Amino acid sequence: MGKGREENMEFGMPTLLETPEIAGCAGLCRSLNLDFIELNNNFPWYQLDAIDTGLYNRLKKEYGIYYTIHLEEELNVCGYNQEVTRAYRNTVLKAVEIAKRLEAPVLNMHLASGVYITLPDRKVYLFREYKERFLEMLMEFSRLCEAAIGDSGIRICVENAGGYMD
C-alpha cells in the first residue's frame, strides 16, 4: 500500500472511542491517508464475536485499507490455572481465524507480567520464580499459534512487554 510513502513504510490508526462503528473508522482512516486500522479487542464493539468479516472485507476493499488486530490486554496465555489459560489461548486461536478471513497480517498482544507476592523487602513475580515453567508454557503457546497460523503469513507481535522483568 504505502499511498505515496516509501514502499516499506505503512501507517495506521487504532480504533477510537469516538468512532465505534467500523464504517466510521474506515472512512476516517481513508481521509487521513492511512493504510490500516488496528481493531482493538478491548472495545465491546470489536470483540471477536462482533466482527462481521463480510462487512469488514467490503469496507477494506471500498476504502483501500487493511486491518490488524490488537488482542485484549488482560490475556495471560501462560497462567497457572489451566482452564483460564485455555480460554485465553482459545481467544487467540479465534483471533487467528478471523485474521485469516480478514487477511490481517498482524496480531498484537502484550505479555502478562503475572502474579506477584509482596514480601517485606521485595515483590516476587511467580513467572520469574518459576521461570522454566513459564518458558515451557510460552513455547507451548508459540507452537499452538504456529500450527493455527500455518502458511497464512500472519505474525503475532508482542508489544509493551515491560511488565515481565526478565
Side-chain angles (χ1 to χ4, degrees):
M1 294 202 159
K3 294 187 180 67
R5 293 185 279 273
E6 290 185 39
E7 280 302 310
N8 59 353
M9 294 291 289
E10 296 181 350
F11 297 91
M13 62 177 268
T15 50
L16 303 170
L17 284 173
E18 300 85 357
T19 52
E21 301 284 331
I22 189 59
C25 278
L28 179 60
C29 183
R30 181 64 177 177
S31 73
L32 295 172
N33 201 32
L34 297 173
D35 301 298
F36 66 91
I37 299 170
E38 180 182 60
L39 305 172
N40 190 326
N41 292 159
N42 289 300
F43 289 103
W45 44 87
Y46 296 110
Q47 294 297 302
L48 296 172
D49 290 335
I51 295 175
D52 176 347
T53 56
L55 170 64
Y56 281 55
N57 279 325
R58 282 192 300 280
L59 292 169
K60 179 176 91 167
K61 187 174 183 178
E62 178 181 342
Y63 290 104
I65 61 171
Y66 67 95
Y67 305 104
T68 65
I69 298 174
H70 190 291
L71 297 168
E72 295 176 31
E73 292 183 31
E74 63 271 5
L75 282 173
N76 185 354
V77 296
C78 297
Y80 300 120
N81 181 326
Q82 292 303 295
E83 287 186 50
V84 173
T85 298
R86 192 171 13 264
Y88 284 138
R89 289 178 177 191
N90 286 338
T91 298
V92 175
L93 296 179
K94 186 172 188 170
V96 167
E97 289 308 310
I98 288 176
K100 286 179 180 179
R101 293 197 307 258
L102 293 175
E103 298 177 331
V106 173
L107 299 177
N108 287 310
M109 67 176 286
H110 299 198
L111 278 183
S113 59
V115 175
Y116 61 87
I117 307 302
T118 303
L119 298 176
D121 61 335
R122 69 189 187 282
K123 291 181 182 177
V124 177
Y125 284 83
L126 293 183
F127 285 164
R128 180 186 293 154
E129 189 71 15
Y130 303 107
K131 183 177 180 178
E132 290 303 315
R133 180 171 166 101
F134 169 78
L135 293 174
E136 286 171 13
M137 294 173 72
L138 193 58
M139 290 306 299
E140 180 183 307
F141 172 67
S142 177
R143 287 188 294 272
L144 187 69
C145 292
E146 287 175 358
I149 289 168
D151 62 358
S152 67
I154 295 169
R155 290 202 166 107
I156 297 179
C157 300
V158 176
E159 66 176 9
N160 302 333
Y164 182 62
M165 302 310 172
D166 291 339

